[in-house]
Amino acid sequence: MWQSSPPGSIYDYIRVASFSIGPDGLIEQWSRRAAGLFGMASDEVVGKDPVEAFMPAELRPGAHRRVAEILDGKEWTGVVPFRIPGDDGVGGLAEIYVMPSETGAGERAALCIVVDVRALRRIETDLAASQAIFGQSPFGFVLFGTDFTVVRANKRFATVFGGEADDHRGRTVDDYLTRGEAERLSGTLKRVLETGDAVTDLQLVGTPPGTTGRRHWSMNLYRVHSGAGRPVGVAGLATDVTQRHIAAREAASARRNLALLNEASARIGNSLDLETTARELLDVAVPVFCDLASVDLYQGLLTGEEASPASWGRHQESGTGSAELRRVAHASAVSDALPGALSGVGGGAEAAGDTGHPALGAVHRYPFHSPCAVALRTGRVEDVPGDERGFVHSTLAVPMVAHDVVVGLVQFSRTKGSEPFGERDRALATELAARAAVCIDNARLYRREHERALILQRSLLPPGDPEAAGLDIACRYLPGNTATEVGGDWFDVIELPGHRTALVVGDVMGRGLRAAVAMGELRTAVRTLALLDLEPAEVLSALDEVARGLGTPGGGERSEGFGAGGGAQWPSRAAHKSREADLSEVYLATCVYAVYDPVTRRCTFANAGHLPPVVAEPGEPALLLDVPPGMPLGVGGEPFEEVEVELKEGALLALYTDGLVESRDHPLDEGLDAFRHALTEPSQPLEDVCDHVLTTLDTRHGEDDIALLMARIQGLAPDAVGDWRLPRELRSVARARELARTQLISWGLDDLVDTTELLVSELVTNALRYGEGEIRLRLLRDRTLVCEVWDAGLVQPRRRRARDTDEGGRGLQLVGLLSAAWGSRRTPRGKTVWFELALPDGEPAAELSVEQLLSMY
């Protein structure tokens, strides 16, 4: 079967031609390739002497001898120059192979094979260059045939995949790569061969023979053609980029770690709650850094023990294990089909007497020699062995260290399929745990401070349900939640002489322990001033002076030194500057002070920058009382005004702080209107009214403290009051005794008649002796019996010890011994002296002892 040589064969490249010489030494046959090589058609050379036709003149004599020898039957090979017709110079250099032949008649002839030496040398150079590039390249060269088997590979390729270069002929991609990678490369080879589109930087992963490490290669593929343009295969240039991949992975890991730390800074510590902070840490770490994670905190830290933090981690005795910890958080990015692996790994914890992985909220210990206990004891990161099923293969036990104190332990775990933790990961885990530890320690310190402030704050509030004559009282105090600091809100109910009652609500500006302390100091001052029975405006004026004194360190200005030229110096003013500024913030306060008289049902108000009281009378809408607000306490310089209001029986009076009516979501006016509308049914039980107000208003509880003090007006009944005016004469003493006796008998208080007569006689006698103007006697019966004697004198009675020779001076001592309480107060027109007796309870009255009687002498 005939088969033509395809175009672009090797013969085309080396330019092989032939011609024959007859017995006469002349050219007998001339091939087409010879015509192409020498540039002469057959009709131009056939029948001519080849020496004369092609050789230069100076070479012809020798050439004729060679032709003669050839025709005598001698072979010859040589390189001869030849001349292309029409060219005066040497046209080329030919390598001629001359082989003797015979004609049909037995005559001698010759067959000449001619090769263009220039084309041959060019091919040899190209082959040498190709071989050098292919064989000496530091990159792996491989040539795939059209059947995708290896046709040729260089030494570098063989170095990576073993054996000699020739050993790889006939192999396929399945001999080098895993199934998935081999299928991907095969598909790429097929596409390149079919389309001719080159592929660059094809990433492949595999394991070279005899090694265990995974390698990464970048492969460039392009289609290879013959001289005629026919595809003959696909060439591949493979570069080992494992180091570059590792560097890129490390750079990506570093970027990821930096991003993770940045996220941790933003997300961890937003709450001052210990458990919430632990969950924030795991939200950051899972699944970006690890697959599983858990946090254990010392039980002593969570229960708020006052012992030093270092004592939490101390073991009871050597070998007993870690101190008690509580599992406060865990997180997982994998399926929950393996609950044991999700709660914790490798720690060997003992919880509730059982050995296993502690559940969320469980209190447990780690065995003394376990990696977790070692990490807690030493403060260093420990590697924890994986579980027996091989689900978790890499775990880090990282102690949470804040200010050189271990507060807990966090475990980071990676499951099968994830890369094990490296040194960079250990450093990142330590940093994450440290940041969370600082936040947890801050939360611990804050909680301790917060709890102390709450204890202080609540200890300063009235205990139980306050009681007052002529008033039904209900109160509510709602502190801000743990996300806010303790505030300075307070309220108080103070019993005053004459069955009167002082109602107080205040709010110290600022937050925290200092605000609570300032509130306590101001509340104590209010109580002290109230016991002096001053008018409401006078109480606020004195309280303003107290507040300004509290806002200055030491209560006043300090000199710069002890004296001129003195060596010792007080601390400079600059050293106190920041502290003074801080203290001045918390010692500004608002306050409303009201005094209610149940006999007249009149209430006197004074306001120091506080929200106005609200009054809801039966059948009427609630109103804001028009009480001049005045300046806050601590500002000073402005007097306070009083407003007296007569309240109807059954009216509702409400005092409150701004946390009840003000929030970020609505203005104060809206809150006040909502509060007034919530008091639409003041006739309900007072406790129900308080609950209704708190559930109706949008108080946004937690943003600020709320104090609410409500009082329903229940004035003393007319028959519970005895009020008489006596002339300034001696017989008024007997008249006063008679009036007191008659009134007590009508009230059924016969047991108090003798004591009351005696004490009334003493007070009226003193009013006649030391007082001025008309005398007024008043008896009030409520929870106790109160007797008041009024006169126009301004001199306050003073209790003194009488001498043995004195005939008088023992009246007030007698009043003090026989009464439950006594005192005096100023009035707009003089003074009032009063005493109080407890109502009889059926038991006989206690008699005065000898010591008490002798104390008057």
Side-chain angles (χ1 to χ4, degrees):
M1 182 179 68
W2 294 92
Q3 180 177 358
S4 62
S5 178
S9 67
I10 189 63
Y11 301 105
D12 293 331
Y13 287 102
I14 62 177
R15 301 184 70 180
V16 177
S18 65
F19 62 91
S20 63
I21 301 175
D24 54 0
L26 303 177
I27 295 175
E28 188 177 60
Q29 293 180 337
W30 187 255
S31 69
R32 291 183 179 179
R33 286 185 177 270
L37 177 62
F38 295 103
M40 302 175 66
S42 60
D43 57 353
E44 294 180 282
V45 297
V46 173
K48 293 185 179 180
D49 185 347
V51 175
E52 297 293 332
F54 307 115
M55 300 295 292
E58 63 275 12
L59 298 178
R60 290 174 185 170
H64 282 298
R65 288 194 303 272
R66 294 294 183 187
V67 172
E69 291 175 358
I70 291 171
L71 293 177
D72 285 340
K74 184 178 181 180
E75 290 187 2
W76 179 81
T77 301
V79 177
V80 297
F82 63 88
R83 173 178 58 83
I84 297 176
D87 190 349
D88 296 336
V90 176
L93 192 65
E95 184 169 334
I96 302 178
Y97 301 87
V98 182
M99 296 169 285
S101 64
E102 292 183 359
T103 65
E107 297 176 316
R108 293 186 178 183
L111 177 63
C112 300
I113 304 298
V114 183
V115 177
D116 188 344
V117 174
R118 294 176 304 172
L120 188 61
R121 297 294 179 268
R122 186 167 58 250
I123 291 174
E124 290 175 348
T125 302
D126 291 345
L127 288 175
S130 176
Q131 183 62 31
I133 295 174
F134 198 80
Q136 300 173 21
S137 171
F139 307 111
F141 272 100
V142 62
L143 178 63
F144 295 95
T146 55
D147 58 353
F148 306 122
T149 60
V150 176
V151 175
R152 189 178 180 186
N154 69 347
K155 290 183 179 181
R156 178 60 181 167
F157 187 86
T159 300
V160 175
F161 291 98
E164 299 295 331
D166 291 340
D167 297 338
H168 294 274
R169 294 181 186 273
R171 292 185 180 179
T172 65
V173 294
D174 296 298
D175 297 319
Y176 305 106
L177 302 172
T178 59
R179 181 176 179 180
E181 292 289 272
E183 290 179 351
R184 192 161 64 91
L185 178 56
S186 296
T188 305
L189 289 172
K190 183 178 180 181
R191 186 170 67 253
V192 172
L193 185 62
E194 290 177 351
T195 65
D197 296 333
V199 172
T200 59
D201 198 22
L202 175 65
Q203 296 293 317
L204 298 172
V205 180
T207 303
T211 64
T212 57
R214 290 158 58 91
R215 309 296 293 179
H216 296 260
W217 296 283
S218 173
M219 199 164 193
N220 298 326
L221 300 172
Y222 58 94
R223 189 169 68 184
V224 179
H225 307 85
S226 67
R230 179 175 59 88
V232 295
V234 177
L237 175 63
T239 306
D240 191 329
V241 294
T242 304
Q243 293 302 321
R244 186 175 72 186
H245 181 79
I246 293 175
R249 185 175 58 190
E250 291 181 350
S253 176
R255 288 193 298 270
R256 181 203 65 187
N257 292 352
L258 288 175
L260 195 62
L261 289 176
N262 183 59
E263 184 179 7
S265 300
R267 295 179 59 183
I268 298 177
N270 292 322
S271 169
L272 289 172
D273 179 74
L274 300 177
E275 291 83 354
T276 301
T277 302
R279 288 193 296 270
E280 289 171 346
L281 168 62
L282 300 193
D283 290 341
V284 171
V286 179
V288 178
F289 178 67
C290 62
D291 301 315
L292 305 171
S294 62
V295 176
D296 299 313
L297 298 179
Y298 279 120
Q299 181 72 351
L301 180 148
L302 294 168
T303 56
E305 294 180 6
E306 289 297 326
S308 63
S311 66
W312 297 326
R314 292 176 187 160
H315 309 299
Q316 296 177 356
E317 56 180 309
S318 178
T320 60
S322 68
E324 286 188 341
L325 299 109
R326 186 192 302 172
R327 177 63 51 85
V328 296
H330 65 66
S332 170
V334 296
S335 171
D336 57 358
L338 298 171
L342 300 183
S343 345
V345 294
E350 297 179 357
D354 298 327
T355 300
H357 303 302
L360 184 64
V363 178
H364 62 93
R365 298 174 184 266
Y366 287 110
F368 185 80
H369 295 292
S370 66
C372 293
V374 173
L376 289 168
R377 191 163 56 248
T378 62
R380 295 192 301 266
V381 180
E382 294 290 330
D383 292 310
V384 181
D387 59 6
E388 297 177 355
R389 293 165 295 186
F391 177 70
V392 174
H393 71 89
S394 183
T395 298
L396 295 177
V398 187
M400 306 178 73
V401 183
H403 310 299
D404 297 327
V405 175
V406 178
V407 299
L409 182 79
V410 57
Q411 295 184 65
F412 300 107
S413 301
R414 288 181 179 174
T415 58
K416 188 176 182 180
S418 300
E419 293 186 4
F421 291 110
E423 287 302 318
R424 192 188 300 271
D425 294 322
R426 292 170 68 92
L428 177 61
T430 303
E431 180 65 22
L432 288 175
R435 295 195 179 200
V438 170
C439 294
I440 286 175
D441 194 51
N442 289 341
R444 175 188 68 85
L445 295 174
Y446 168 80
R447 185 174 66 178
R448 185 182 66 180
E449 188 88 356
H450 188 266
E451 289 174 352
R452 290 178 178 177
L454 281 179
I455 292 173
L456 172 64
Q457 188 178 42
R458 290 169 179 170
S459 67
L460 296 174
L461 296 175
D465 295 327
E467 295 182 356
L471 292 176
D472 182 15
I473 296 177
C475 53
R476 294 290 186 273
Y477 177 76
L478 301 178
N481 59 28
T482 56
T484 61
E485 297 184 20
V486 176
D489 293 12
W490 91 91
F491 67 91
D492 209 347
V493 178
I494 307 171
E495 294 188 51
L496 299 177
H499 286 314
R500 294 171 303 131
T501 303
L503 304 175
V504 189
V505 169
D507 184 2
V508 176
M509 299 180 186
R511 309 199 61 79
L513 184 60
R514 289 178 301 155
V517 170
M519 177 268 286
E521 292 176 318
L522 291 177
R523 177 180 179 272
T524 302
V526 170
R527 278 191 161 266
T528 303
L529 295 170
L531 293 178
L532 296 177
D533 213 353
L534 302 177
E535 295 297 322
E538 294 177 332
V539 169
L540 292 187
S541 295
L543 195 62
D544 179 62
E545 293 292 335
V546 172
R548 283 191 288 166
L550 294 176
T552 303
E557 298 294 333
R558 284 181 175 179
S559 62
E560 292 298 321
F562 292 114
Q569 295 278 332
W570 287 105
S572 67
R573 187 177 302 274
H576 294 289
K577 186 175 182 180
S578 61
R579 181 170 178 266
E580 290 177 359
D582 292 340
L583 290 173
S584 65
E585 290 180 2
V586 299
Y587 287 125
L588 290 176
T590 63
C591 179
V592 61
Y593 185 89
V595 175
Y596 172 69
D597 188 345
V599 178
T600 62
R601 293 200 312 275
R602 301 185 71 83
C603 191
T604 304
F605 296 92
N607 191 352
H610 202 78
L611 295 173
V614 175
V615 172
E617 296 183 344
E620 300 290 337
L623 299 174
L624 297 175
L625 289 181
D626 186 14
V627 180
M631 298 298 291
L633 300 175
V635 175
E638 293 292 333
F640 297 96
E641 299 182 38
E642 292 182 358
V643 172
E644 188 177 65
V645 178
E646 183 175 352
L647 302 174
K648 294 183 179 179
E649 186 78 16
L652 195 63
L653 173 64
L655 306 179
Y656 51 94
T657 57
D658 56 359
L660 182 70
V661 295
E662 188 175 20
S663 74
R664 304 173 185 171
D665 300 328
H666 55 74
L668 177 60
D669 291 343
E670 292 183 8
L672 290 173
D673 290 341
F675 182 32
R676 291 192 298 105
H677 289 107
L679 298 175
T680 53
E681 297 183 13
S683 60
Q684 293 182 347
L686 202 54
E687 294 291 335
D688 294 343
V689 175
C690 284
D691 293 337
H692 176 70
V693 168
L694 293 178
T695 56
T696 301
L697 298 184
D698 183 16
T699 61
R700 300 284 177 170
H701 178 224
E703 294 182 359
D704 195 4
D705 295 355
I706 295 175
L708 174 62
L709 177 61
M710 304 189 76
R712 176 171 286 122
I713 305 303
Q714 298 173 345
L716 291 181
D719 59 357
V721 179
D723 194 353
W724 306 275
R725 298 182 181 274
L726 303 173
R728 192 171 185 78
E729 52 190 31
L730 290 178
R731 63 180 182 178
S732 294
V733 176
R735 178 60 179 163
R737 288 199 300 268
E738 180 183 358
L739 292 172
R741 182 188 315 110
T742 304
Q743 185 66 66
L744 264 62
I745 292 174
S746 68
W747 285 341
L749 301 178
D750 300 50
D751 293 343
L752 299 181
V753 169
D754 293 340
T755 303
T756 303
E757 276 192 283
L758 176 60
L759 299 185
V760 165
S761 176
E762 290 293 336
L763 295 187
V764 173
T765 300
N766 284 344
L768 288 173
R769 180 176 298 179
Y770 305 109
E772 300 176 7
E774 187 181 36
I775 299 173
R776 180 181 177 187
L777 172 65
R778 190 167 74 168
L779 295 178
L780 306 175
R781 186 198 66 185
D782 193 70
R783 291 174 296 131
T784 62
L785 175 68
V786 173
C787 175
E788 298 175 330
V789 175
W790 308 46
D791 70 78
L794 299 177
V795 178
Q796 296 292 320
R798 182 172 59 87
R799 184 176 177 178
R800 63 184 179 87
R801 181 177 295 275
R803 291 175 297 185
D804 294 344
T805 58
D806 290 343
E807 296 182 358
R810 298 177 181 86
L812 292 181
Q813 293 188 45
L814 188 63
V815 172
L817 287 174
L818 297 179
S819 66
W822 78 278
S824 66
R825 68 177 186 273
R826 290 185 300 151
T827 64
R829 294 184 178 86
K831 67 177 181 294
T832 300
V833 183
W834 58 271
F835 67 84
E836 184 176 351
L837 297 175
L839 298 182
D841 54 3
E843 298 292 333
E847 296 184 359
L848 296 177
S849 65
V850 175
E851 289 77 6
Q852 290 175 324
L853 291 173
L854 290 177
S855 66
M856 294 186 294
Y857 295 93

mmCIF file of all heavy atoms in Angstrom, residues 265-293:
data_model
loop_
_atom_site.group_PDB
_atom_site.id
_atom_site.type_symbol
_atom_site.label_atom_id
_atom_site.label_comp_id
_atom_site.label_asym_id
_atom_site.label_seq_id
_atom_site.Cartn_x
_atom_site.Cartn_y
_atom_site.Cartn_z
ATOM 1 N N SER A 265 -10.982 42.063 69.568
ATOM 2 C CA SER A 265 -10.961 43.334 70.284
ATOM 3 C C SER A 265 -12.325 44.014 70.242
ATOM 4 O O SER A 265 -12.731 44.683 71.193
ATOM 5 C CB SER A 265 -9.896 44.254 69.682
ATOM 6 O OG SER A 265 -8.612 43.679 69.769
ATOM 7 N N ALA A 266 -13.024 43.831 69.108
ATOM 8 C CA ALA A 266 -14.319 44.500 68.940
ATOM 9 C C ALA A 266 -15.459 43.739 69.610
ATOM 10 O O ALA A 266 -16.419 44.345 70.086
ATOM 11 C CB ALA A 266 -14.622 44.686 67.453
ATOM 12 N N ARG A 267 -15.353 42.387 69.678
ATOM 13 C CA ARG A 267 -16.503 41.593 70.105
ATOM 14 C C ARG A 267 -16.397 41.053 71.523
ATOM 15 O O ARG A 267 -17.414 40.731 72.135
ATOM 16 C CB ARG A 267 -16.707 40.430 69.134
ATOM 17 C CG ARG A 267 -17.083 40.871 67.731
ATOM 18 C CD ARG A 267 -17.255 39.686 66.800
ATOM 19 N NE ARG A 267 -18.281 38.770 67.258
ATOM 20 C CZ ARG A 267 -18.569 37.627 66.642
ATOM 21 N NH1 ARG A 267 -17.896 37.270 65.565
ATOM 22 N NH2 ARG A 267 -19.509 36.835 67.106
ATOM 23 N N ILE A 268 -15.165 40.905 72.042
ATOM 24 C CA ILE A 268 -15.011 40.342 73.379
ATOM 25 C C ILE A 268 -14.974 41.475 74.389
ATOM 26 O O ILE A 268 -14.236 42.434 74.237
ATOM 27 C CB ILE A 268 -13.720 39.502 73.476
ATOM 28 C CG1 ILE A 268 -13.783 38.317 72.504
ATOM 29 C CG2 ILE A 268 -13.523 38.989 74.892
ATOM 30 C CD1 ILE A 268 -12.513 37.493 72.488
ATOM 31 N N GLY A 269 -15.771 41.343 75.423
ATOM 32 C CA GLY A 269 -15.752 42.333 76.490
ATOM 33 C C GLY A 269 -16.797 43.410 76.362
ATOM 34 O O GLY A 269 -16.747 44.413 77.078
ATOM 35 N N ASN A 270 -17.768 43.229 75.449
ATOM 36 C CA ASN A 270 -18.834 44.227 75.341
ATOM 37 C C ASN A 270 -19.799 44.144 76.516
ATOM 38 O O ASN A 270 -20.563 45.074 76.761
ATOM 39 C CB ASN A 270 -19.603 44.032 74.030
ATOM 40 C CG ASN A 270 -18.751 44.369 72.821
ATOM 41 O OD1 ASN A 270 -17.976 45.310 72.845
ATOM 42 N ND2 ASN A 270 -18.876 43.600 71.754
ATOM 43 N N SER A 271 -19.781 43.023 77.196
ATOM 44 C CA SER A 271 -20.654 42.844 78.352
ATOM 45 C C SER A 271 -19.806 42.714 79.599
ATOM 46 O O SER A 271 -18.674 42.242 79.556
ATOM 47 C CB SER A 271 -21.519 41.594 78.169
ATOM 48 O OG SER A 271 -22.178 41.264 79.369
ATOM 49 N N LEU A 272 -20.348 43.129 80.721
ATOM 50 C CA LEU A 272 -19.677 42.964 81.994
ATOM 51 C C LEU A 272 -20.199 41.739 82.732
ATOM 52 O O LEU A 272 -20.108 41.649 83.950
ATOM 53 C CB LEU A 272 -19.863 44.227 82.854
ATOM 54 C CG LEU A 272 -19.076 45.446 82.362
ATOM 55 C CD1 LEU A 272 -19.465 46.680 83.143
ATOM 56 C CD2 LEU A 272 -17.577 45.203 82.469
ATOM 57 N N ASP A 273 -20.716 40.782 81.959
ATOM 58 C CA ASP A 273 -21.188 39.526 82.509
ATOM 59 C C ASP A 273 -20.168 38.440 82.187
ATOM 60 O O ASP A 273 -19.699 38.331 81.048
ATOM 61 C CB ASP A 273 -22.556 39.165 81.916
ATOM 62 C CG ASP A 273 -23.066 37.846 82.450
ATOM 63 O OD1 ASP A 273 -23.495 37.806 83.612
ATOM 64 O OD2 ASP A 273 -23.007 36.850 81.703
ATOM 65 N N LEU A 274 -19.801 37.629 83.181
ATOM 66 C CA LEU A 274 -18.746 36.638 82.997
ATOM 67 C C LEU A 274 -19.110 35.603 81.937
ATOM 68 O O LEU A 274 -18.321 35.303 81.036
ATOM 69 C CB LEU A 274 -18.464 35.939 84.332
ATOM 70 C CG LEU A 274 -18.005 36.835 85.486
ATOM 71 C CD1 LEU A 274 -17.842 36.013 86.757
ATOM 72 C CD2 LEU A 274 -16.690 37.508 85.146
ATOM 73 N N GLU A 275 -20.312 35.031 82.026
ATOM 74 C CA GLU A 275 -20.707 34.011 81.069
ATOM 75 C C GLU A 275 -20.832 34.580 79.662
ATOM 76 O O GLU A 275 -20.449 33.924 78.682
ATOM 77 C CB GLU A 275 -22.028 33.358 81.497
ATOM 78 C CG GLU A 275 -21.926 32.500 82.738
ATOM 79 C CD GLU A 275 -22.014 33.300 84.024
ATOM 80 O OE1 GLU A 275 -22.041 34.551 83.937
ATOM 81 O OE2 GLU A 275 -22.046 32.697 85.114
ATOM 82 N N THR A 276 -21.351 35.789 79.549
ATOM 83 C CA THR A 276 -21.485 36.405 78.224
ATOM 84 C C THR A 276 -20.118 36.640 77.597
ATOM 85 O O THR A 276 -19.925 36.412 76.397
ATOM 86 C CB THR A 276 -22.247 37.737 78.344
ATOM 87 O OG1 THR A 276 -23.532 37.492 78.913
ATOM 88 C CG2 THR A 276 -22.412 38.381 76.976
ATOM 89 N N THR A 277 -19.148 37.067 78.386
ATOM 90 C CA THR A 277 -17.793 37.280 77.860
ATOM 91 C C THR A 277 -17.203 35.970 77.363
ATOM 92 O O THR A 277 -16.543 35.933 76.315
ATOM 93 C CB THR A 277 -16.899 37.891 78.943
ATOM 94 O OG1 THR A 277 -17.473 39.126 79.379
ATOM 95 C CG2 THR A 277 -15.502 38.145 78.416
ATOM 96 N N ALA A 278 -17.425 34.876 78.087
ATOM 97 C CA ALA A 278 -16.931 33.564 77.642
ATOM 98 C C ALA A 278 -17.573 33.164 76.319
ATOM 99 O O ALA A 278 -16.898 32.648 75.417
ATOM 100 C CB ALA A 278 -17.214 32.513 78.712
ATOM 101 N N ARG A 279 -18.870 33.405 76.177
ATOM 102 C CA ARG A 279 -19.539 33.071 74.911
ATOM 103 C C ARG A 279 -19.032 33.947 73.773
ATOM 104 O O ARG A 279 -18.917 33.487 72.629
ATOM 105 C CB ARG A 279 -21.052 33.218 75.072
ATOM 106 C CG ARG A 279 -21.688 32.126 75.924
ATOM 107 C CD ARG A 279 -23.195 32.137 75.792
ATOM 108 N NE ARG A 279 -23.772 33.365 76.292
ATOM 109 C CZ ARG A 279 -24.165 33.539 77.542
ATOM 110 N NH1 ARG A 279 -24.029 32.564 78.427
ATOM 111 N NH2 ARG A 279 -24.702 34.681 77.927
ATOM 112 N N GLU A 280 -18.719 35.195 74.062
ATOM 113 C CA GLU A 280 -18.176 36.081 73.021
ATOM 114 C C GLU A 280 -16.833 35.560 72.514
ATOM 115 O O GLU A 280 -16.539 35.632 71.317
ATOM 116 C CB GLU A 280 -18.028 37.493 73.587
ATOM 117 C CG GLU A 280 -19.352 38.201 73.824
ATOM 118 C CD GLU A 280 -19.188 39.512 74.581
ATOM 119 O OE1 GLU A 280 -18.112 39.743 75.152
ATOM 120 O OE2 GLU A 280 -20.147 40.312 74.613
ATOM 121 N N LEU A 281 -16.012 35.026 73.413
ATOM 122 C CA LEU A 281 -14.737 34.442 72.989
ATOM 123 C C LEU A 281 -14.963 33.285 72.030
ATOM 124 O O LEU A 281 -14.304 33.186 70.980
ATOM 125 C CB LEU A 281 -13.958 33.967 74.228
ATOM 126 C CG LEU A 281 -12.738 33.073 73.954
ATOM 127 C CD1 LEU A 281 -11.693 33.816 73.144
ATOM 128 C CD2 LEU A 281 -12.145 32.569 75.265
ATOM 129 N N LEU A 282 -15.900 32.401 72.346
ATOM 130 C CA LEU A 282 -16.147 31.248 71.473
ATOM 131 C C LEU A 282 -16.794 31.667 70.163
ATOM 132 O O LEU A 282 -16.545 31.047 69.124
ATOM 133 C CB LEU A 282 -17.032 30.232 72.203
ATOM 134 C CG LEU A 282 -16.463 29.670 73.519
ATOM 135 C CD1 LEU A 282 -17.268 28.467 73.969
ATOM 136 C CD2 LEU A 282 -15.000 29.298 73.367
ATOM 137 N N ASP A 283 -17.610 32.701 70.186
ATOM 138 C CA ASP A 283 -18.203 33.193 68.932
ATOM 139 C C ASP A 283 -17.129 33.682 67.967
ATOM 140 O O ASP A 283 -17.275 33.556 66.749
ATOM 141 C CB ASP A 283 -19.183 34.335 69.225
ATOM 142 C CG ASP A 283 -20.442 33.841 69.928
ATOM 143 O OD1 ASP A 283 -20.711 32.630 69.866
ATOM 144 O OD2 ASP A 283 -21.140 34.656 70.548
ATOM 145 N N VAL A 284 -16.038 34.220 68.502
ATOM 146 C CA VAL A 284 -14.946 34.684 67.666
ATOM 147 C C VAL A 284 -14.114 33.507 67.159
ATOM 148 O O VAL A 284 -13.690 33.467 66.000
ATOM 149 C CB VAL A 284 -14.054 35.675 68.439
ATOM 150 C CG1 VAL A 284 -12.787 35.999 67.663
ATOM 151 C CG2 VAL A 284 -14.819 36.961 68.719
ATOM 152 N N ALA A 285 -13.872 32.508 68.017
ATOM 153 C CA ALA A 285 -12.939 31.424 67.683
ATOM 154 C C ALA A 285 -13.552 30.348 66.808
ATOM 155 O O ALA A 285 -12.850 29.735 65.992
ATOM 156 C CB ALA A 285 -12.406 30.794 68.967
ATOM 157 N N VAL A 286 -14.843 30.088 66.934
ATOM 158 C CA VAL A 286 -15.506 29.007 66.197
ATOM 159 C C VAL A 286 -16.395 29.616 65.126
ATOM 160 O O VAL A 286 -17.226 30.468 65.429
ATOM 161 C CB VAL A 286 -16.346 28.130 67.150
ATOM 162 C CG1 VAL A 286 -17.047 27.021 66.389
ATOM 163 C CG2 VAL A 286 -15.464 27.548 68.263
ATOM 164 N N PRO A 287 -16.247 29.212 63.859
ATOM 165 C CA PRO A 287 -15.385 28.160 63.296
ATOM 166 C C PRO A 287 -14.114 28.696 62.639
ATOM 167 O O PRO A 287 -13.433 27.951 61.950
ATOM 168 C CB PRO A 287 -16.285 27.542 62.250
ATOM 169 C CG PRO A 287 -17.035 28.724 61.699
ATOM 170 C CD PRO A 287 -17.237 29.676 62.867
ATOM 171 N N VAL A 288 -13.815 29.986 62.795
ATOM 172 C CA VAL A 288 -12.688 30.568 62.066
ATOM 173 C C VAL A 288 -11.366 29.969 62.518
ATOM 174 O O VAL A 288 -10.501 29.646 61.702
ATOM 175 C CB VAL A 288 -12.676 32.097 62.251
ATOM 176 C CG1 VAL A 288 -11.484 32.716 61.548
ATOM 177 C CG2 VAL A 288 -13.971 32.707 61.733
ATOM 178 N N PHE A 289 -11.207 29.773 63.825
ATOM 179 C CA PHE A 289 -9.924 29.303 64.357
ATOM 180 C C PHE A 289 -9.942 27.822 64.705
ATOM 181 O O PHE A 289 -8.932 27.138 64.582
ATOM 182 C CB PHE A 289 -9.571 30.123 65.598
ATOM 183 C CG PHE A 289 -8.302 29.706 66.276
ATOM 184 C CD1 PHE A 289 -7.076 29.880 65.653
ATOM 185 C CD2 PHE A 289 -8.327 29.115 67.539
ATOM 186 C CE1 PHE A 289 -5.907 29.484 66.273
ATOM 187 C CE2 PHE A 289 -7.167 28.723 68.163
ATOM 188 C CZ PHE A 289 -5.954 28.907 67.525
ATOM 189 N N CYS A 290 -11.065 27.317 65.143
ATOM 190 C CA CYS A 290 -11.139 25.914 65.546
ATOM 191 C C CYS A 290 -12.544 25.398 65.276
ATOM 192 O O CYS A 290 -13.446 26.151 64.909
ATOM 193 C CB CYS A 290 -10.773 25.755 67.020
ATOM 194 S SG CYS A 290 -11.894 26.630 68.133
ATOM 195 N N ASP A 291 -12.717 24.081 65.476
ATOM 196 C CA ASP A 291 -14.012 23.449 65.227
ATOM 197 C C ASP A 291 -14.834 23.297 66.499
ATOM 198 O O ASP A 291 -16.053 23.317 66.467
ATOM 199 C CB ASP A 291 -13.804 22.072 64.589
ATOM 200 C CG ASP A 291 -13.035 22.157 63.275
ATOM 201 O OD1 ASP A 291 -13.363 23.047 62.467
ATOM 202 O OD2 ASP A 291 -12.104 21.356 63.058
ATOM 203 N N LEU A 292 -14.161 23.106 67.624
ATOM 204 C CA LEU A 292 -14.818 22.944 68.916
ATOM 205 C C LEU A 292 -14.089 23.817 69.935
ATOM 206 O O LEU A 292 -12.877 23.999 69.836
ATOM 207 C CB LEU A 292 -14.774 21.482 69.390
ATOM 208 C CG LEU A 292 -15.329 20.401 68.468
ATOM 209 C CD1 LEU A 292 -14.973 19.040 69.026
ATOM 210 C CD2 LEU A 292 -16.821 20.530 68.322
ATOM 211 N N ALA A 293 -14.816 24.296 70.930
ATOM 212 C CA ALA A 293 -14.179 25.086 71.978
ATOM 213 C C ALA A 293 -15.066 25.075 73.215
ATOM 214 O O ALA A 293 -16.292 24.914 73.127
ATOM 215 C CB ALA A 293 -13.924 26.522 71.524
#
